[in-house]
Amino acid sequence: MNGKRVVVGLSGGVDSSVAAHLLMQEGYEVIGIFMRNWHDETVVINNECPWIDDSNDAMMVAEKLGIPFQVLDLSEEYRRRIVDYMFAEYERGKTPNPDVLCNREIKFDSFLQAALALGADYVATGHYCRKNTTVNSQGEVVHQLLAGVDPNKDQSYFLCQLSQSQLEKALFPIGHLQKQEVRRIAAELGLVTADKKDSQGLCFVGKISLPDFLQQQLKPREGSIVEIDADQFTAHQSVSISHDDDFTQAAVPHRFSPEQGKWRGNHRGAHYYTVGQRKGLGVGGSKEPLFIIGTDVHTNTVFVGQGEYHPGLYRKGLRIEASDVHWIRPDMALIEGQTARFQARIRYRQPLEWVSIKNINGHLYLLFDQPQRGIAPGQFAAWYLGEELVGSGVIGDT
């Protein structure tokens, strides 16, 4: 034993199961805890990922490994800090990412505090990412959040809102492994989770029917679907990172009015839809598939365009309000007027794209080298230097 105690968030999946085993091999005193974050099963697709099965699988893994196990009910915190936020954002016409918030507010806050109360030195999860601790040029100890070695499973994006104090207490035991290696280890140990499918649902909730979930709080409200022709967009203008105007203009979202296009049908409520979405409209008869290029919750209008290359789907830039800027590495934060080059993504699994980021009056403006598809307010943009995720922020709507 190395004398250190670590609480592992056992989700009932293979990744956290192997994480617990690897920590035991390193000599940690390991405790397994299953987080129950949701009670309402009316919106969970029960035959896909019921929480009770996950909890039982987590318990069986703990028994197999010979570690203490308990269930921790964080459902009230989850409802208040994640679900209420999610409903509020959708109602405002934004596209939130509850998994990012779950990591910041639940796993590495509420859960972390519970673990510390048990005398833990660390909490650990089955995320495919890595942590490195080093000393920066100012002589300060800094914790680096690094991408997972498996490029197909890298989950660093989901942790883009963590702070230095949270990373200090975090361990990611499987970040250096490929997924197939994790499954092999689980199979060799005879763990019940070895061949279990990966969860596709909300953070520790289970697979959710999102429209049903939203309709519990956000009532249907019929409105118009309006198609905007591609020829209404001006030709792409070249931009330069030497002028503030190029950053600010590129960050302005596309604006539409119903008078610009033609009526194509009705929808159930603009707050149910997001930019880039194709399914769920129920409108046919067009030469190419219809994609959502904008929503307006005030007029309750959904704007669509034909084809995946419709110019309304693409933007060169975005803006992050000063209050929504988060630096995992505060020592690397851009000062007023400073511009720096990074690679960034606006959604999980999106390939990293080169971007120039500038601090203008405290707000961050991201200007991509290539237009990006489906930029939606409420999403998280995360930016990297090499393998390290250094900062993130909520995409604004102005």
Side-chain angles (χ1 to χ4, degrees):
M1 300 291 288
N2 64 20
K4 298 288 187 179
R5 175 179 291 179
V6 57
V7 169
V8 179
L10 285 181
S11 66
V14 65
D15 300 326
S16 59
S17 303
V18 172
H21 163 71
L22 294 177
L23 289 167
M24 293 178 65
Q25 282 195 319
E26 293 179 32
Y28 287 98
E29 177 192 353
V30 178
I31 298 172
I33 293 183
F34 177 86
M35 285 175 263
R36 186 179 183 190
N37 288 345
W38 196 244
H39 287 291
D40 184 357
E41 297 185 8
T42 62
V43 294
V44 177
I45 303 174
N46 287 310
N47 62 357
E48 290 285 346
C49 186
W51 81 268
I52 193 70
D53 288 349
D54 289 339
S55 177
N56 287 337
D57 288 345
M59 180 176 65
M60 286 190 282
V61 166
E63 288 178 352
K64 184 76 173 180
L65 297 178
I67 61 175
F69 174 78
Q70 61 180 275
V71 175
L72 179 63
D73 191 338
L74 294 174
S75 56
E76 174 56 30
E77 290 91 336
Y78 190 88
R79 181 198 60 76
R80 178 170 48 85
R81 302 173 73 172
I82 308 300
V83 176
D84 287 354
Y85 162 86
M86 182 174 156
F87 283 142
E89 287 291 274
Y90 271 105
E91 195 165 28
R92 294 168 59 199
K94 298 193 174 186
T95 306
N97 189 313
D99 286 338
V100 172
L101 267 296
C102 179
N103 286 315
R104 187 185 79 186
E105 302 288 332
I106 304 298
K107 292 181 189 172
F108 294 95
D109 191 345
S110 298
F111 181 67
L112 172 59
Q113 296 308 314
L116 294 177
L118 291 174
D121 298 285
Y122 301 100
V123 294
T125 63
H127 284 104
Y128 285 86
C129 61
R130 294 167 293 151
K131 184 182 84 169
N132 182 54
T133 301
T134 186
V135 177
N136 67 10
S137 58
Q138 290 80 44
E140 303 165 327
V141 174
V142 295
H143 305 286
Q144 298 174 296
L145 177 62
L146 306 177
V149 169
D150 188 337
N152 295 317
K153 295 298 295 182
D154 169 37
Q155 294 174 315
S156 56
Y157 173 81
F158 290 129
L159 302 170
C160 68
Q161 286 278 293
L162 295 194
S163 66
Q164 284 289 301
S165 61
Q166 289 172 314
L167 275 176
E168 180 185 7
K169 297 295 185 181
L171 296 176
F172 307 111
I174 65 168
H176 64 291
L177 298 175
Q178 302 285 325
K179 181 73 179 194
Q180 62 265 31
E181 295 178 89
V182 171
R183 289 204 180 277
R184 177 184 57 78
I185 293 171
E188 290 175 353
L189 294 171
L191 299 182
V192 67
T193 55
D195 296 318
K196 189 173 180 179
K197 289 197 304 182
D198 291 342
S199 171
Q200 300 297 318
L202 294 176
C203 173
F204 281 120
V205 172
K207 189 167 184 179
I208 291 290
S209 171
L210 186 58
D212 292 344
F213 193 58
L214 292 176
Q215 286 177 30
Q216 286 194 335
Q217 182 78 13
L218 307 178
K219 300 304 179 186
R221 189 166 140 242
E222 189 174 278
S224 296
I225 299 172
V226 176
E227 182 181 345
I228 305 295
D229 288 337
D231 59 13
Q232 294 201 32
F233 289 81
T234 58
H236 172 65
Q237 302 294 317
S238 61
V239 295
S240 167
I241 64 171
S242 61
H243 302 293
D244 285 2
D245 285 350
D246 287 326
F247 280 89
T248 57
Q249 290 174 12
V252 176
H254 300 305
R255 303 293 188 193
F256 310 106
S257 67
E259 295 74 27
Q260 285 179 263
K262 59 183 177 181
W263 181 87
R264 291 300 308 271
N266 291 327
H267 59 77
R268 296 177 299 157
H271 44 254
Y272 296 145
Y273 302 92
T274 187
V275 175
Q277 183 176 337
R278 174 183 171 182
K279 296 181 180 179
L281 285 170
V283 176
S286 57
K287 183 178 179 181
E288 294 186 77
L290 293 175
F291 290 83
I292 295 175
I293 61 175
T295 64
D296 187 335
V297 294
H298 301 293
T299 63
N300 196 31
T301 308
V302 170
F303 298 97
V304 298
Q306 287 194 40
E308 60 181 316
Y309 299 109
H310 190 285
L313 284 171
Y314 294 85
R315 284 167 51 191
K316 281 276 286 185
L318 60 90
R319 179 179 191 249
I320 297 173
E321 298 279 345
S323 59
D324 289 325
V325 174
H326 173 73
W327 291 93
I328 294 178
R329 289 286 303 273
D331 57 319
M332 298 177 65
L334 300 181
I335 62 173
E336 168 68 30
Q338 185 179 7
T339 305
R341 294 279 286 171
F342 298 92
Q343 287 181 292
R345 57 170 52 105
I346 59 173
R347 62 181 64 87
Y348 176 52
R349 289 189 182 277
Q350 180 196 20
L352 289 171
E353 301 282 351
W354 282 104
V355 64
S356 297
I357 303 182
K358 187 165 190 174
N359 181 327
I360 303 175
N361 297 323
H363 311 298
L364 290 189
Y365 289 82
L366 279 65
L367 185 62
F368 288 92
D369 288 10
Q370 299 297 325
Q372 298 299 298
R373 185 180 188 276
I375 296 177
Q379 292 173 315
F380 286 92
W383 48 94
Y384 296 69
L385 277 178
E387 293 184 306
E388 183 181 2
L389 200 169
V390 297
S392 68
V394 181
I395 299 173
D397 55 3
T398 57

